[in-house]
Amino acid sequence: MSKAVPTIGLDGLYIEDIIQDDSFTGVVPIYAQPEPEEAPELLEDEEIKDELDVPEEPEQPREIIGYLVGIPLPTGLYHPRFDLLAWDAYQDVVLEAQSDYADELHDWREQWAEGEKQGPEPVYTPPVQPDNLWVEGLTPEEVAERTKSGEQTELEQLRAENTELKLALTELAEAQEADKTEMQLALAEIAGLIGGE
């Protein structure tokens, strides 16, 4: 199975959706593709290479150009922005909770190994993920400009189009039903003519 996953820029602003595996979660960096380098001249003999003491080039760090976000994009935002700082803060809380759990489990196992009385085995409870990781990327003034009276929002436009489509489908279904009824009457009339002869 697959799902649409939002991509964002370094500023957190939504760019587009891409298709990923259904199990994708979290926030993962997108790296720039390295530019192809010119191939160095090949040394024919390994001994010559060793004699020249050719150093290996260190791997260049790859540039992050955006992120894949496995957290669904909510509706109702004009220009969605993912709050990377809030996500990083949440990750810090998760790491702290995991560390605390590991310490508790270690202490519990030591007590068990020493035969001391102990309570039930500790259970890891992950911290609750914040609901407000996706926020509005436009300022209140920009939102007000987009929603001036007389202008429809994207959601209002979609609702109007949806209503028009429903009406068109209803009319089409009624026309098909009328055609079906006319066809049945015509067939009955033909059957009556054939049976009457």
Side-chain angles (χ1 to χ4, degrees):
M1 298 294 290
S2 57
K3 66 179 178 181
V5 174
T7 60
I8 60 172
L10 295 176
D11 55 3
L13 290 174
Y14 170 80
I15 298 172
E16 65 180 352
D17 287 340
I18 62 169
I19 302 300
Q20 289 290 314
D21 186 73
D22 228 6
S23 62
F24 181 81
T25 60
V27 177
V28 177
I30 301 170
Y31 293 98
Q33 294 296 323
E35 293 185 23
E37 297 177 11
E38 290 185 29
E41 290 184 26
L42 299 175
L43 298 175
E44 294 178 9
D45 191 358
E46 286 297 319
E47 290 178 14
I48 297 173
K49 188 189 270 186
D50 291 339
E51 286 175 18
L52 294 175
D53 195 25
V54 177
E56 290 187 20
E57 292 184 28
E59 190 173 312
Q60 297 294 324
R62 297 185 346 181
E63 178 187 6
I64 296 175
I65 59 170
Y67 297 90
L68 287 174
V69 179
I71 299 163
L73 184 64
T75 58
L77 298 174
Y78 293 96
H79 198 171
R81 183 177 60 81
F82 188 77
D83 191 342
L84 289 166
L85 293 176
W87 173 256
D88 288 342
Y90 170 66
Q91 292 306 299
D92 291 343
V93 171
V94 168
L95 288 174
E96 186 176 332
Q98 289 172 344
S99 176
D100 291 347
Y101 168 70
D103 291 343
E104 289 174 19
L105 187 61
H106 178 266
D107 293 345
W108 183 85
R109 287 182 177 162
E110 277 188 350
Q111 289 176 356
W112 182 79
E114 294 171 2
E116 296 178 19
K117 281 192 165 189
Q118 63 195 26
E121 182 177 349
V123 176
Y124 175 69
T125 306
V128 177
Q129 181 176 299
D131 291 333
N132 58 347
L133 291 171
W134 283 104
V135 295
E136 181 57 64
L138 297 178
T139 64
E141 295 79 21
E142 291 170 322
V143 171
E145 182 67 28
R146 285 192 176 198
T147 58
K148 281 184 178 177
S149 60
E151 294 180 20
Q152 288 185 330
T153 65
E154 185 177 350
L155 183 59
E156 291 169 338
Q157 290 172 348
L158 289 173
R159 284 183 178 152
E161 289 173 13
N162 189 30
T163 303
E164 289 174 18
L165 285 173
K166 284 180 180 178
L167 288 172
L169 285 172
T170 303
E171 289 173 7
L172 182 61
E174 289 172 357
Q176 285 179 335
E177 190 62 35
D179 288 347
K180 181 180 173 184
T181 304
E182 285 179 29
M183 180 67 76
Q184 288 173 339
L185 289 173
L187 287 173
E189 188 177 321
I190 292 172
L193 290 173
I194 293 174
E197 291 180 3

